[in-house]
Amino acid sequence: MDDVSKCPVMHGSATNNKGVSTSNKDWWPNQLNVNILHQHDKRSNPMSVDFNYRNEFKKLDFKSLKKDLNDLMTDSKDWWPADYGHYGPFFIRLTWHAAGTYRTWDGRGGGGTGDQRFAPLNSWPDNGNLDKARRLLWPLKKKYGSKISWADLFILAGNVAIESMGGKTFGYSGGRPDIWTPPEDIYWGKENEWLKNERYTGERVLETPLGAVQMGLIYVNPQGPDGNPDPKASAMDIRETFARMAMNDEETVALTAGGHTFGKAHGAAPEENVGPEPEGAPIEQMGFGWKNVHGVGKGGDTITSGIEGPWTTNPTKWDNSYFELLFKYDWELVKSPAGAFQWHPINPDENDLAPDAADSSKKVTTIMTTADMAMKEDPAYNKISRRFLENPDEFADTFARAWFKLLHRDMGPKTRYLGPEIPKEDLIWQDPIPKGDSSFDVKRAEKEILDSGLTIQELVETAWASASTYRQTDMRGGANGARLRLLPQKDWDVNKPDQLSKVISVYEKIASNVKASVSDIIVLAGNVGIEKACGVKVPFTAGRGDAVQDQTDIDSFKVLEPMADGFRNYQKQDFEASPEEMLLDKSQLLGLTAPEMTVLVGGFRSLGISRNNDGVFTNDINNLSNDFFINLLDMSVDWKPTGKNSFDGLEKKSGKKIKSASRVDLVFGSNSQLRAIAEVYACDDSNNLFINDFISAWNKVMNADRFDLE
């Protein structure tokens, strides 16, 4: 017997399953992953239960931290020497790659959690050697401890880096709490090899919700699409991937040029000289990866992207030389020492050469990547680039604003910002909402709602339609602002536009009568509907404000439209993902646990809230009850599929159809984890538990975006 098979204990911690054990996922790879609703459990968090990071950040000596960061920029270490004696470009890349994973489709990614410390991000090929940047920051993290999160430190480092090299920044906010385990909910792509591409269909149509062109990249392949050095084709990839991170053409050009004003790319030798990434490296490397055996393995011998050289003549100074060089020269396609495609200027002047990063007495040619050449070859990018060439101040301002957006897009509304460098200007992408007023007569409003003639279903559905747009990933959406009555939300099919228009017109009159915001009335009315259905008081906290159309970027809000909402049994169309998987995804975005998801679905069905009436297993839709669970688990019914997402419930004795359901409904009886929860709510003595849990989960969703209550 080998050593593993001799071991007397069956280890859940075994690093190799072979001959030891297999997981449920190994046996049933299509099993619904309910665990994504319970990630980042308190038990994984080393901080005390009452630890509040936002309060700790307020105690931070921000000025001292910035000084220490600024000093670090030129404190070159022998173990990983700084190019040009300045770590600024290195930390800009760290910050960019922390924030740059953000994507608009589901709000996931971004720098808001410090997840670059964990797999897979810490080992993505595009993040090569950033393990060293994080270790350079460790002495400062150690010094300031719990008052600065890794997430905030990663972002602040890039800002200080820009400022230390003469660049302009627009501002900074802290307040990003760290996570302590790798996120399970982010889909990075189906590929099982680094830098592979299986995410396109048709004419280069990128799979939703992905924001990068290949597995393990942040945005695009700098050599061109799948390594093809075609600048115009690269422009197509750039435009799509940057748009998926909420950037327009102007912001895209500014970020590309601004980022590449600093530093250099590293490709001193072929990648065969580089060892495994941090997660695959041997234990004695202590979390470091990409061990380089070429030369001394660092400094001038560094290998990262494979591209080699600086973009500008002074890589540690903010200036306009990126555009000056781009348009001054014709460029020829060459290969780096590592064999990567890159572009060199033809016959450059002596004063347009750059210093060698490790030996300033030597001069080297500047370079452009294929992605950089797209800024010249694409007509729209070319026009913007030439304008920035001729207007350096406009370029600097556009870059500062776009950089700020890159770093803060996933932080939610401006009311969450912390620190002394918060910009005063309100920006449209921050989804601004006027301050609300909580002084209105709530009892009078409740009476007018009850007297309005609206049904329980209309009251509850409208409140859910408003509040359930919230995403905990980037803290967008939610009931605050009442954008449900504005474009584009008022026309979304999932919101039943005709019904919604009728309800909102009633709410606007009530809001006017009692001098309340429509957003408060929407939530209050949903509470009134639930109270009417169960006789139990639902908590309500006033103070929401109403946004106007001019404060609402229609294109930006389009991504919040639910393609599926299992809580309402709604599917806009058939998708590759199953309805129950999409229910889990929406629940995770809402920050719900599995019991909260379960009780909400059951409650909505008992109130008759379901497209096509599927899953409505009750005779009284005006009574909030546990009927859904009781009848779902009824053993006298056989379920037969009638379509991809439709099932008939047949009485076993007679074969007569007595009910219908969707996959979302039946999963609470078929999935063992969800059935265990459903059984709790189906018990004869559980109706009060069910009602209380429903109200608790409901209240959580209604107030998810109330950051003013934190």
Side-chain angles (χ1 to χ4, degrees), residues 272-283:
E272 288 76 18
N273 291 280
V274 179
E277 66 281 354
E279 288 296 314
I283 196 169

Side-chain angles (χ1 to χ4, degrees), residues 164-434:
S164 73
M165 295 183 290
K168 173 185 174 182
T169 60
F170 189 73
Y172 172 82
S173 168
R176 302 167 183 83
D178 286 331
I179 57 173
W180 301 97
T181 55
E184 297 179 35
D185 60 302
I186 304 180
Y187 170 65
W188 296 117
K190 67 183 71 172
E191 302 90 349
N192 56 15
E193 292 180 23
W194 295 128
L195 303 181
K196 201 170 182 181
N197 167 21
E198 297 175 359
R199 55 189 62 198
Y200 284 94
T201 56
E203 294 295 319
R204 200 71 176 169
V205 178
L206 181 59
E207 180 185 353
T208 301
L210 302 178
V213 300
Q214 289 172 246
M215 173 61 78
L217 295 183
I218 302 295
Y219 291 126
V220 299
N221 187 327
Q223 297 185 62
D226 299 320
N228 173 30
D230 182 339
K232 289 186 177 179
S234 181
M236 180 178 175
D237 277 2
I238 294 167
R239 184 166 283 111
E240 178 63 23
T241 56
F242 272 73
R244 291 191 178 206
M245 218 207 64
M247 299 294 175
N248 60 29
D249 277 2
E250 192 170 77
E251 292 165 326
T252 299
V253 174
L255 284 171
T256 302
H260 289 176
T261 293
F262 303 114
K264 69 180 291 287
H266 299 83
E271 64 178 15
E272 288 76 18
N273 291 280
V274 179
E277 66 281 354
E279 288 296 314
I283 196 169
E284 66 271 14
Q285 289 183 204
M286 293 291 287
F288 278 131
W290 299 292
K291 186 175 182 180
N292 179 5
V293 297
H294 172 68
V296 296
K298 55 191 176 183
D301 293 322
T302 301
I303 304 168
T304 305
S305 66
I307 295 168
E308 173 59 32
W311 288 270
T312 66
T313 55
N314 193 341
T316 59
K317 179 184 177 182
W318 175 268
D319 56 26
N320 216 31
S321 60
Y322 176 90
F323 292 119
E324 292 168 357
L325 293 171
L326 182 65
F327 287 105
K328 180 176 181 179
Y329 292 105
D330 291 325
W331 296 77
E332 63 179 344
L333 183 65
V334 300
K335 283 197 171 184
S336 74
F341 286 117
Q342 60 187 58
W343 299 74
H344 284 181
I346 298 175
N347 298 322
D349 295 339
E350 179 71 21
N351 60 355
D352 286 333
L353 299 178
D356 181 81
D359 183 353
S360 60
S361 67
K362 297 179 182 178
K363 292 287 188 176
V364 299
T365 184
T366 58
I367 61 110
M368 292 286 168
T369 69
T370 301
D372 294 305
M373 295 304 297
M375 302 298 107
K376 183 178 184 180
E377 299 298 326
D378 177 82
Y381 288 155
N382 179 289
K383 185 177 180 181
I384 296 166
S385 295
R386 286 189 180 277
R387 192 173 84 241
F388 287 157
L389 169 65
E390 296 164 4
N391 299 277
D393 289 343
E394 182 186 359
F395 166 48
D397 183 66
T398 304
F399 171 76
R401 289 170 176 271
W403 177 260
F404 179 80
K405 181 178 179 180
L406 173 76
L407 272 50
H408 295 81
R409 192 67 184 88
D410 62 341
M411 276 205 73
K414 189 176 174 181
T415 54
R416 297 193 68 252
Y417 288 9
L418 296 175
E421 296 185 356
I422 300 170
K424 292 181 179 179
E425 182 179 344
D426 289 332
L427 306 166
I428 188 67
W429 58 263
Q430 293 171 326
D431 304 339
I433 300 170

Side-chain angles (χ1 to χ4, degrees), residues 4 10-18 20-21:
V4 173
M10 296 299 288
H11 292 284
S13 59
T15 56
N16 189 331
N17 282 337
K18 294 176 181 177
V20 180
S21 67

Side-chain angles (χ1 to χ4, degrees), residues 35 37-54 177-181 593:
N35 292 334
L37 301 184
H38 304 138
Q39 59 184 334
H40 312 311
D41 186 276
K42 280 286 186 185
R43 289 172 293 182
S44 69
N45 191 333
M47 311 306 288
S48 62
V49 175
D50 59 352
F51 175 77
N52 184 306
Y53 174 62
R54 293 177 65 82
D178 286 331
I179 57 173
W180 301 97
T181 55
T593 64

